[in-house]
Amino acid sequence: HNVCVAAINLRSFRYKRKYGFTKFVRDGVKVYEYSLPVGGVPFSLYQHIACRCLGFLYKKIIKDGNKPDVVHAHFFDMICCAANVKKKFGYQLVGTEHFSKFINKDFEKRSQLIKRASKCYKNVDRLFAVSNILADVTRTECQKETYVVHNIVDCNTFTASERKVRHGRIKFVSVGRLSEEKNFSLLIDAFSEACKIRQDIYLEIYGAGELKDSLEDQIKANSVSNNIKLCGFADRAKIAANFKSTDCFVLLSSHET
C-alpha cells in the first residue's frame, strides 16, 4: 500500500521545532507536516486552524499524485478535524478513538465532549476504539457503532529479558503524558516520602506535557533532585532499552483507555 502521513503539529512554542510546511520520508513513509505554535486555545479556534492545515496538506498530497482511498485519523480532535475537511474533499474516513476523557466521569466538560463527538462521528464512515470501556461510551452515549482494536505492543522492540541484580540502587520508571490524570504529582510526593526511608531508590519519568515546569519545581521543593528525574519525551526504542535496566514500572493514572 502507498501510505502518506499528514501530521499537524499545533503544540506551543515551548516545543522547539521548524514552523510551516515540511515534507520528508521516514522509514519509507511519506510525511507531510504543518507546524504552528498554537498551544492551549479554545476548541473552536483549534479546530479552525487544524482544518486549514489539514486542507493544505491534503491538497499537497493530491498534487503529488497520492490521492487517498481512505483517511485514517487518531484521537478526538483530529477525528473532528478530518470529519470537517471531509465535507470539502469527500474522502472515506476511518477514526480511531483514544481519548481517555470520554471515560472520566469527573471531567467537567464531559457533556460538551459527548455532544461534540456525537455530531462529529456522524461524518465518520467507520469508528474504532482502543478499549472495550471506551467503545461502550461511544456506542451508548454518542450513538456510533464502534469496533474495538486494542493498542498494539511492538514485541520486536519490547522484549523480555532476564532480570539482573544490581547492587546499590533500585530503579523505578514511569511513562506518560505530563498531565493531571497521570497523577505524576502524587507519584513524586509518594516517592519523596520513600526517599526519607532509604536513599538507594531512583525514579525516572518519561514524557512531555503541560505540567513539566510544575513537576520540576515540586521535585526541587521536595529536595529529591538526586533521586527523581524528568527525562522528557523518548521514542519506543529508548524506553524499551530503559525497561531492561529497571526494577519496577509504576503507573498511577486515575484512568486509562
Side-chain angles (χ1 to χ4, degrees):
H1 299 286
N2 182 15
V3 177
C4 297
V5 173
I8 302 171
N9 189 342
L10 301 183
R11 296 183 296 176
S12 77
F13 65 90
R14 291 180 299 174
Y15 297 90
K16 303 300 181 184
R17 64 204 189 266
K18 180 181 177 181
Y19 299 137
F21 171 68
T22 54
K23 182 173 68 172
F24 54 93
V25 176
R26 179 171 296 171
D27 297 329
V29 177
K30 300 172 187 174
V31 179
Y32 296 74
E33 181 179 38
Y34 207 100
S35 179
L36 289 173
V38 176
V41 297
F43 180 81
S44 57
L45 177 57
Y46 183 94
Q47 279 295 305
H48 175 75
I49 297 171
C51 287
R52 293 292 296 271
C53 291
L54 180 57
F56 176 88
L57 294 177
Y58 192 81
K59 289 178 182 178
K60 287 286 187 181
I61 292 171
I62 292 177
K63 185 177 179 180
D64 287 349
N66 300 307
K67 184 175 182 180
D69 296 313
V70 63
V71 172
H72 187 181
H74 288 260
F75 285 95
F76 172 67
D77 55 350
M78 286 297 106
I79 295 173
C80 282
C81 172
N84 284 323
V85 175
K86 175 188 175 183
K87 297 173 185 177
K88 179 177 180 179
F89 293 101
Y91 46 69
Q92 294 292 300
L93 176 60
V94 173
T96 296
E97 191 58 80
H98 307 250
F99 197 35
S100 60
K101 288 290 194 296
F102 279 101
I103 62 175
N104 181 6
K105 300 294 184 179
D106 297 324
F107 178 45
E108 60 182 13
K109 296 182 179 180
R110 187 175 182 276
S111 60
Q112 188 178 44
L113 171 64
I114 296 297
K115 183 178 180 180
R116 283 173 172 163
S118 299
K119 180 180 179 180
C120 161
Y121 292 158
K122 290 179 180 178
N123 211 28
V124 176
D125 296 290
R126 189 78 74 188
L127 183 67
F128 295 88
V130 296
S131 70
N132 289 314
I133 189 173
L134 180 54
D136 287 342
V137 172
T138 55
R139 288 183 191 126
T140 60
E141 298 187 55
C142 301
Q143 282 75 53
K144 180 66 176 181
E145 181 59 37
T146 307
Y147 302 83
V148 176
V149 176
H150 297 283
N151 281 323
I152 297 171
V153 176
D154 183 356
C155 294
N156 292 320
T157 302
F158 292 89
T159 58
S161 60
E162 182 180 353
R163 184 179 183 275
K164 297 181 181 179
V165 178
R166 289 173 294 279
H167 299 289
R169 60 181 289 152
I170 303 173
K171 181 180 172 183
F172 296 77
V173 67
S174 190
V175 181
R177 177 174 171 77
L178 304 184
S179 54
E180 289 289 347
E181 69 272 11
K182 302 300 183 181
N183 283 326
F184 284 120
S185 179
L186 175 61
L187 174 59
I188 290 170
D189 278 341
F191 207 84
S192 299
E193 290 298 314
C195 287
K196 296 176 182 178
I197 301 172
R198 55 188 302 169
Q199 287 293 311
D200 61 342
I201 56 175
Y202 300 87
L203 170 65
E204 293 182 354
I205 299 174
Y206 286 88
E210 60 271 17
L211 298 185
K212 177 179 181 292
D213 292 341
S214 64
L215 294 177
E216 285 183 338
D217 291 341
Q218 183 181 355
I219 292 170
K220 292 176 182 177
N222 290 0
S223 301
V224 288
S225 297
N226 291 331
N227 299 83
I228 303 177
K229 181 180 179 182
L230 297 183
C231 301
F233 175 81
D235 59 26
R236 293 178 182 177
K238 184 175 180 179
I239 292 173
N242 183 276
F243 281 179
K244 292 181 182 297
S245 63
T246 297
D247 297 288
C248 183
F249 174 75
V250 186
L251 179 67
L252 259 65
S253 298
S254 57
H255 52 271
E256 287 284 354
T257 51

